[in-house]
Amino acid sequence: MKRFDLGCGWPISLPRLMLLIGIVLNLAVTTGATGHYKWKVDYLYFSPDCVEKAIIAINGQYPGPTIVARAGDTIVVELENAMPTESVVIHWHGIRQIGTPWFDGVPFVSQCPISPGETFTYKFVPGTYFYHGHLGMQRAAGFYGSLIVDLKRGKREPFTYDGELSIVVNDWWHSSVYDQETGLFSIPFRFVGEPQSLLIAGRGRYNCSLVPTSSVVGDGDCLKCNSESPQCQPYVLPVQSGKTYRLRIASVASLSSLNFILEGHNMTIVEADGYYVDPVIVQNLDLYSGETYSVLFTANQNPSRNYWAAINVRGRKPVTPTGLAILNYNSNPSSLLPSTASPVSPAWNDFDYSLSQSKLILARKGYEVPPPPRPDRQLILLTTQNNIDGRTKWAINNISYVPTSTPVLAALKYGWKNAYDPIPPPDYPALPMNIIAPPANPNAKAGSGVYTFHFGSVVDVIIQNSNTLNRNNSEIHPWHLHGHDFWVLGYGKGIFDPANDPKSYNLKNAPLKNTVAVFPYGWVAIRFKADNPGVWPFHCHVEAHFHMGMGVIFAEGLDKLPKIPKSVLGCGFSKYH
């Protein structure tokens, strides 16, 4: 048995687990190459923003290793879970998992928390993705990395560039995720607060003079800060003057909407969530948790100096310093810090700016896949903040999602009626709706029901935002759908009008995405085909929000699935079958 000290006197011990994951990128007609990786997941003391804390790392590396492959390749990842206190699952964000829904990586929905010796098979399309833990709040503990699938050899992108760079951006707290989770379920609710730092490629910088010097255990000040640590030196993006670069960006933020800037350089958006989009030139880019983008930029500024790459908080009143990296022209030392001030983003509460930029994302001409002209079914999902038994929760149509102890996929496939909630959630919220004030009745109920769709049907989902329990407050919620890509049909302000608002839907060049933001006091409409047999979460990608109930489960075509591998079962009701 291995022992591990979380710091401040919390020794723990549990046996190791082993997992074998086989990722198949089998869009190619011919057999591609096979790449083998060995990953070891364990706790690690690390200082991403100069403040040391225990994180979840892969192979002693943070962020986790980047997987780069081509369509048609086979990637085998042998993952040893050496964490002494936790099981582990990995969600391959943006991957549809056609034919393999049990490997989506969502505990108690697609599978049980991972047991030793399992083999996973995944099918990918070319694009920019990432992977992350999906058990509890493991993503906020640093358990994530990039996943890039390039085109087959001989295929060409609809744009050209001289070099490629890739970064993952996120927000960062000094409190452990276990402290954060405890606060979420406490009475009264205890919010961890805004992040201490913003990280670019796992690096940021906290002002060590702000770290308390007291060592009294329990005051939250059991912190070590070293501004000279190489782990928190600014990340460097190296460029040559005159060259054009593709920069892949993924946001794994746990809470914050972020805005990315390359000081003095315009960016051209060319890809969103793995799909080509009409080129759009921007000076800064809003990023919502779960989104991925590719932008092109040319190193066409004065080459005698370096420039800032920066992220700022948007959508919430920012108290977190700007996250900074260095855009390094190769004629200068990579350690040469820009002499200019940190770049400034649009006002945090300029939601019109956010909405207008989101509307610029359209399918690229020549690559459009028009949505079906009409839906077979429509859902309107009202997001509200509520109380259940004295605890603060999030709810959809007044139901706060709570996972069952048995994977829903197996329960529905095999008809284990005692293992899931047989009552489906409502398709529409109760009327009348008042979205600009706290709910008159803040109470909601917990549930684990499932929306079941006819296989091959077309489904519209309208996400309707509203006020929280606090007056004059509505938040941005980035919604992510597992197992599918969807068309973003349109956005609006106020209460969605089913009679008139669909008349303005974009049915010509709507972008395909897997994550979309709904803005304060507004709505967003998406359309997808229920053509992927399985059970799929649709949830807010703000980690705490899904943890507190802001999500639903979709199911379709379960009769078309083969027998579920025993390796993904063994918990809850499934352990008896």
Side-chain angles (χ1 to χ4, degrees):
M1 302 287 282
K2 181 180 178 182
R3 291 178 64 84
F4 184 84
D5 192 337
L6 285 177
C8 299
W10 294 95
I12 45 182
S13 59
L14 273 183
R16 297 180 176 187
L17 302 177
M18 286 290 295
L19 165 68
L20 183 66
I21 307 174
I23 309 171
V24 178
L25 292 72
N26 58 357
L27 291 183
V29 175
T30 58
T31 302
T34 299
H36 293 268
Y37 299 82
K38 285 191 174 183
W39 286 0
K40 182 176 181 179
V41 176
D42 203 351
Y43 298 114
L44 176 72
Y45 282 122
F46 210 79
S47 306
D49 67 346
C50 303
V51 174
E52 185 181 77
K53 65 176 287 189
I55 68 168
I56 297 176
I58 299 174
N59 291 351
Q61 177 180 333
Y62 170 73
T66 296
I67 292 179
V68 179
R70 293 187 179 275
D73 287 355
T74 299
I75 305 297
V76 178
V77 179
E78 184 180 345
L79 179 123
E80 178 187 356
N81 181 1
M83 292 190 296
T85 61
E86 310 177 49
S87 298
V88 63
V89 293
I90 297 180
H91 171 55
W92 308 90
H93 186 103
I95 308 308
R96 292 194 61 194
Q97 301 295 359
I98 297 173
T100 56
W102 39 81
F103 301 136
D104 189 43
V106 182
F108 308 114
V109 175
S110 56
Q111 64 183 99
C112 297
I114 294 167
S115 301
E118 297 178 343
T119 300
F120 284 48
T121 302
Y122 298 90
K123 299 180 180 181
F124 296 5
V125 297
T128 303
Y129 305 106
F130 60 95
Y131 61 86
H132 61 84
H134 215 297
L135 182 60
M137 294 182 67
Q138 289 180 342
R139 191 175 89 230
F143 189 21
Y144 60 79
S146 292
L147 194 164
I148 299 171
V149 185
D150 290 326
L151 294 172
K152 292 188 295 182
R153 295 189 187 278
K155 297 287 185 178
R156 291 187 177 182
E157 310 272 10
F159 44 81
T160 59
Y161 49 91
D162 301 304
E164 185 172 313
L165 303 164
S166 178
I167 56 174
V168 178
V169 297
N170 69 301
D171 40 14
W172 193 253
W173 286 262
H174 296 158
S175 297
S176 73
V177 294
Y178 316 105
D179 287 339
Q180 295 179 43
E181 287 180 286
T182 301
L184 296 179
F185 295 101
S186 294
I187 302 176
F189 176 77
R190 293 174 61 174
F191 177 47
V192 67
E194 302 301 320
Q196 275 74 52
S197 299
L198 302 177
L199 308 184
I200 298 177
R203 298 188 186 187
R205 179 158 293 206
Y206 188 72
N207 186 346
C208 287
S209 67
L210 301 178
V211 175
T213 57
S214 171
S215 60
V216 178
V217 174
D219 288 344
D221 53 13
C222 184
L223 300 175
K224 298 178 182 178
C225 190
N226 177 12
S227 60
E228 301 304 317
S229 170
Q231 297 172 354
C232 63
Q233 300 310 303
Y235 186 75
V236 175
L237 296 164
V239 296
Q240 294 183 33
S241 181
K243 301 289 187 180
T244 296
Y245 294 86
R246 178 184 189 170
L247 175 61
R248 299 179 187 260
I249 313 171
S251 173
V252 297
S254 295
L255 173 68
S256 309
S257 301
L258 300 172
N259 182 265
F260 179 77
I261 304 171
L262 283 177
E263 180 192 9
H265 297 72
N266 289 335
M267 298 175 287
T268 302
I269 305 170
V270 293
E271 179 201 29
D273 287 359
Y275 286 91
Y276 301 133
V277 298
D278 261 350
V280 178
I281 298 174
V282 295
Q283 286 72 50
N284 56 78
L285 175 64
D286 279 339
L287 292 161
Y288 305 101
S289 178
E291 287 190 319
T292 62
Y293 284 96
S294 285
V295 299
L296 301 180
F297 73 92
T298 300
N300 56 7
Q301 298 300 300
N302 180 356
S304 66
R305 53 161 294 205
N306 290 337
Y307 298 82
W308 292 119
I311 49 173
N312 290 300
V313 172
R314 296 258 290 131
R316 306 177 66 86
K317 189 173 182 179
V319 298
T320 310
T322 301
L324 296 170
I326 298 174
L327 185 65
N328 169 225
Y329 277 66
N330 68 339
S331 56
N332 306 306
S334 60
S335 59
L336 178 64
L337 297 179
S339 59
T340 49
S342 301
V344 177
S345 295
W348 69 272
N349 56 355
D350 187 350
F351 298 114
D352 286 339
Y353 183 92
S354 305
L355 180 60
S356 63
Q357 189 176 91
S358 293
K359 289 181 176 180
L360 294 175
I361 305 302
L362 300 170
R364 189 181 183 106
K365 187 175 181 180
Y367 293 85
E368 308 98 324
V369 181
R374 61 190 60 84
D376 300 303
R377 185 172 173 184
Q378 180 193 71
L379 306 179
I380 298 179
L381 305 182
L382 174 64
T383 67
T384 54
Q385 196 176 46
N386 301 83
N387 291 320
I388 298 179
D389 299 327
R391 292 179 170 86
T392 301
K393 296 289 185 179
W394 290 97
I396 303 300
N397 292 352
N398 217 45
I399 297 178
S400 182
Y401 176 73
V402 177
T404 63
S405 60
T406 302
V408 181
L409 176 66
L412 292 176
K413 169 70 176 174
Y414 298 126
W416 299 336
K417 296 187 182 300
N418 294 330
Y420 68 95
D421 186 350
I423 302 175
D427 285 9
Y428 300 97
L431 298 175
M433 281 190 285
N434 180 3
I435 67 167
I436 60 173
N441 179 5
N443 296 314
K445 61 179 181 179
S448 55
V450 178
Y451 291 100
T452 302
F453 305 125
H454 294 296
F455 184 73
S457 63
V458 177
V459 182
D460 278 8
V461 181
I462 294 87
I463 308 162
Q464 175 69 65
N465 210 344
S466 68
N467 205 95
T468 66
L469 290 172
N470 301 315
R471 292 190 178 277
N472 302 315
N473 181 55
S474 182
E475 300 184 5
I476 294 175
H477 300 290
W479 278 78
H480 172 59
L481 178 57
H482 292 225
H484 304 78
D485 299 310
F486 51 73
W487 291 273
V488 181
L489 300 181
Y491 301 84
K493 298 180 180 180
I495 296 176
F496 176 77
D497 181 350
N500 293 306
D501 284 329
K503 297 175 183 177
S504 65
Y505 282 173
N506 178 7
L507 300 180
K508 180 182 178 182
N509 58 351
L512 277 164
K513 298 190 88 248
N514 61 62
T515 303
V516 67
V518 59
F519 297 104
Y521 302 110
W523 56 267
V524 64
I526 67 170
R527 179 170 293 174
F528 71 95
K529 289 183 178 180
D531 59 359
N532 190 5
V535 175
W536 309 104
F538 181 46
H539 63 92
C540 179
H541 210 260
V542 171
E543 198 160 35
H545 290 184
F546 185 37
H547 212 43
M548 297 165 67
M550 187 180 277
V552 295
I553 304 297
F554 295 159
E556 68 221 40
L558 295 177
D559 59 322
K560 301 182 180 302
L561 289 174
K563 187 175 181 180
I564 298 173
K566 290 184 178 180
S567 59
V568 304
L569 305 177
C571 58
F573 200 72
S574 69
K575 65 185 176 184
Y576 302 110
H577 293 267

